Amino acid sequence: MLLAASGIILQRQRILLLQRTKYTKRYPNHWGCPGGKALPYETPEENAIREIKEECNLDFTPTEILKIGHWEGKKFYRFLGDWQGSVNIQEEEVQNYKWCSYKEAKNLKISFDYHEILDLLLQRDLLI
């Protein structure tokens, strides 16, 4: 089963969301957290670390699994974690980024299961 992972990056009770390019096969122009497919040798944690570095240039350290799920035959992981650095997006896959409150994020076109992730973060008082 192919793995995919993403990181939930929070700052001052706001979440970092990346807008996918219009050229992306799935969910073009939609918003979500940095992440993607794992390479064959990667653990879910390594996958999240690599994808976050590639997509937005942040150094990410997973600290907690927020969710494990299945989608179209893939097992995916959503990690909370610590991070360092400054956002610098990879323009081939990402066209924009925002730090969003819960309400701001819920008004965007959201990809994959990130509406559920937003709700989980709000329930845990991690988003305003």
Side-chain angles (χ1 to χ4, degrees):
M1 180 180 299
L2 183 62
L3 295 175
S6 66
I8 313 302
I9 298 176
L10 301 171
Q11 176 178 267
R12 294 185 205 106
Q13 292 185 288
R14 295 184 180 271
I15 187 170
L16 176 66
L17 295 178
L18 307 181
Q19 186 179 29
R20 300 161 67 84
T21 68
K22 64 182 177 182
Y23 306 108
T24 304
K25 187 173 155 182
R26 293 214 161 92
Y27 295 102
N29 296 311
H30 283 62
W31 295 81
C33 295
K37 294 179 192 170
L39 299 174
Y41 57 84
E42 286 181 317
T43 66
E45 293 84 358
E46 291 168 337
N47 174 208
I49 291 166
R50 178 184 55 78
E51 285 286 348
I52 291 164
K53 187 66 172 177
E54 286 177 4
E55 291 185 2
C56 59
N57 196 43
L58 296 176
D59 296 316
F60 183 73
T61 304
T63 57
E64 177 185 343
I65 298 172
L66 184 63
K67 179 182 177 186
I68 298 174
H70 294 86
W71 185 74
E72 292 188 354
K74 297 178 188 112
K75 189 172 188 179
F76 65 84
Y77 294 78
R78 305 291 187 230
F79 289 100
L80 285 170
D82 298 324
W83 60 276
Q84 293 182 347
S86 298
V87 176
N88 184 14
I89 59 172
Q90 175 200 58
E91 294 179 0
E92 292 146 14
E93 295 181 39
V94 179
Q95 63 180 317
N96 203 354
Y97 75 94
K98 289 183 184 187
W99 291 97
C100 296
S101 68
Y102 175 82
K103 185 176 178 181
E104 291 165 336
K106 288 297 256 188
N107 286 320
L108 297 173
K109 290 176 15 181
I110 298 292
S111 62
F112 302 102
D113 66 324
Y114 291 114
H115 277 293
E116 180 185 345
I117 296 301
L118 294 169
D119 292 341
L120 289 170
L121 294 169
L122 183 69
Q123 290 168 11
R124 292 177 60 174
D125 292 325
L126 296 173
L127 278 183
I128 55 170

